Amino acid sequence: MCSSDLEELGTVRAITPNEGGARIEIAATTVLADAVLGASIAVNGCCLTVVEFTDSWWAADAVTETLDRTSLGSLVAGSPVNLERPVRLEDRLGGHIVQGHIDGVGSLVTRDALPDGSTRMRFAAPAGLLRYIVEKGSITVDGISLTVAALHADGFDIAVIPHTLAVTTLGPKATGDPVNLEVDVLRSEEHTSELQSLAYL
């Protein structure tokens, strides 16, 4: 379980296909501070298992299921990736609680720089996820905890501050690029409806 409070921007060193899956090597340092074989590290929001590591890189084996259901299959050597270790019970929760289990793959539709320095980004989302995305609720995009600024029939908007653009993979994202999505497990459309009903009691 993670807090979706990203720790490091890593870089893919190499990807080696094997039997339909792939071994992914990632250059990093911060997330390796207490690494052990078998530990979990979220890559763009997708929880992977450490199978090899040094003090400057680590490797994970992504099986066919993972590559088919996430955007990890589009990574190449040199791709930046958002990294985060699992949350500890004594840690501060800077984002919202996520599981590292990707619900679906969306894509960047538009991005518009605004006068206040932020960037408005619109993402397309799979139809089956839209009922769980709540305006002003949280959503994880490539492992980044973000607030839904607006909902649309086929997706949602977020407003991204300059700092987030500078230290995550959202900065270089281009129209059409895929993103991993995980909805907020603690808040869904049904839950919000219940809260709204209680407000009138």
Side-chain angles (χ1 to χ4, degrees):
M1 182 176 294
C2 299
S3 71
S4 61
D5 196 11
L6 298 179
E7 295 185 273
E8 183 174 7
L9 187 63
T11 304
V12 175
R13 293 176 76 241
I15 296 181
T16 307
N18 53 43
E19 300 298 326
R23 174 159 289 199
I24 304 173
E25 295 180 9
I26 298 171
T29 54
T30 301
V31 295
L32 295 175
D34 56 358
V36 295
L37 290 179
S40 295
I41 298 177
V43 178
N44 286 351
C46 180
C47 189
L48 297 178
T49 300
V50 176
V51 297
E52 184 180 1
F53 70 95
T54 69
D55 59 356
S56 62
W57 63 271
W58 64 284
D61 290 325
V63 298
T64 303
E65 173 77 2
T66 300
L67 297 178
D68 287 346
R69 291 182 174 267
T70 72
S71 66
L72 297 187
S74 65
L75 295 176
V76 297
S79 293
V81 286
N82 299 317
L83 302 175
E84 181 192 5
R85 290 169 290 183
V87 68
R88 295 171 296 192
L89 290 179
E90 68 270 21
D91 284 344
R92 295 183 181 89
L93 295 177
H96 69 285
I97 296 175
V98 298
Q99 297 176 306
H101 301 159
I102 304 305
D103 294 312
V105 177
S107 61
L108 178 60
V109 179
T110 60
R111 59 180 297 159
D112 298 297
L114 303 180
D116 63 3
S118 68
T119 297
R120 185 89 168 196
M121 305 179 84
R122 178 173 294 192
F123 292 93
L129 293 187
L130 291 173
R131 64 181 295 195
Y132 302 111
I133 301 174
V134 180
E135 187 170 354
K136 303 307 178 188
S138 296
I139 190 165
T140 304
V141 178
D142 272 356
I144 308 162
S145 178
L146 298 163
T147 300
V148 176
L151 287 175
H152 306 283
D154 59 353
F156 61 93
D157 287 5
I158 56 172
V160 187
I161 63 173
H163 174 76
T164 301
L165 289 176
V167 301
T168 71
T169 59
L170 289 183
K173 285 287 180 194
T175 299
D177 284 351
V179 291
N180 291 320
L181 301 176
E182 182 180 343
V183 298
D184 188 350
V185 295
L186 300 180
R187 183 172 181 178
S188 66
E189 181 180 332
E190 292 83 358
H191 183 217
T192 300
S193 296
E194 292 173 7
L195 291 177
Q196 289 173 338
S197 296
L198 289 173
Y200 292 104
L201 294 179

